[in-house]
Amino acid sequence: LSGIAGEAALRFEPDNAEDICRAMARLTADETLRARLAVEGPRRAAAFSWTATARATLDAIEDAVLLST
């Protein structure tokens, strides 16, 4: 997910409860980190749109059809 979230998210191992707890504790304790993520999250989300996703999906389907013919 780092390719999607970029620097707008705090990463942790989703299968590791201790890692999740560490990330949550860090968010709770670090006001600067929370503030940065609060700004970066919406900024990063703005880089994505349903229109762009639909276009990329259609392009991929068209490419697959062209390759199969």
Side-chain angles (χ1 to χ4, degrees):
L1 290 177
S2 62
I4 295 170
E7 294 302 315
L10 185 59
R11 291 180 197 82
F12 55 86
E13 287 296 324
D15 296 329
N16 184 323
E18 289 180 14
D19 203 31
I20 294 169
C21 287
R22 274 192 293 275
M24 292 174 68
R26 184 172 171 206
L27 281 172
T28 301
D30 191 336
E31 186 174 334
T32 302
L33 175 63
R34 284 195 314 275
R36 182 178 64 79
L37 294 178
V39 170
E40 291 299 323
R43 185 179 295 156
R44 184 68 180 144
F48 301 95
S49 73
W50 284 113
T51 301
T53 300
R55 178 79 252 165
T57 301
L58 182 58
D59 289 346
I61 291 168
E62 289 173 345
D63 289 346
V65 169
L66 288 174
L67 287 174
S68 68
T69 58

